Amino acid sequence: MKKYTIAMLVGSTRTGSINQKLARAIEATAPDTLQFIPVTMEDMPWYNGDLESNRPASVNAFTDAIRKCDAVCMVTPEYNRSIPGVLKNAIDWGSKPPAQNIWKDKVIAMTGTSPGGIGTAIGQQHLRQILAIQHAIVMPGETYITFKSPDMIDDAGHVSDDSVREFIAAFGDRLAKLVALMATA
């Protein structure tokens, strides 16, 4: 069975992030056909067109990593009904120059968690708008999780709630099917 590489982008960089925990849970419950590669975004400077002629090494490392992967999984909190600046900055760097847009035709799955009742639904809607203009292939459906208790997902990605574990595993299954489908298209 073919293995597909998935770049894992987590929009929260803080220590103990519940979205980092969710990313590890996705990795732990996903089918064996998916291999997740963590890709950092926080090393890149803020996008500035003046830097295009001599892109920073951190930007080149980021775009090369995304380019090499079959798909991207974006796990993000919601900040002010949108996405964190670190994720938007990464999308901006990856979209330039337009002829080398790393997001074009790239399969992207998105999810996120927050303590709030609607999880990261509105942030994900904004992320879909941003990725649509990039011509990305975004996995259909909404997948957000209300982080109900501090021990719902531990630091290693083990999920204490069976229904949440099944929901996360179903997300990974859908991603695996979409990546395999697009690979044959």
Side-chain angles (χ1 to χ4, degrees), residues 44-45 55-64 93-94:
M44 294 184 288
R55 285 181 149 214
S58 58
V59 172
N60 291 330
F62 173 79
T63 56
D64 289 347
W93 274 114

Side-chain angles (χ1 to χ4, degrees), residues 14 23 83 97 124 147 158 162 175 184:
R14 76 174 183 81
I83 60 174
Q124 287 183 45
F147 210 87
H158 299 106
D162 290 340
L175 175 56
T184 61

Side-chain angles (χ1 to χ4, degrees), residues 137-152:
I137 301 165
V138 180
M139 188 167 84
E142 288 186 342
T143 305
Y144 53 86
I145 296 168
T146 302
F147 210 87
K148 298 175 187 171
S149 68
D151 62 342
M152 189 173 86

Side-chain angles (χ1 to χ4, degrees), residues 4 70-71 105-108 137-138 175-185:
Y4 298 99
D70 298 302
D105 299 327
K106 184 69 73 175
V107 172
I108 299 180
I137 301 165
V138 180
L175 175 56
K177 288 176 186 170
L178 180 58
V179 173
L181 177 67
M182 296 312 296
T184 61

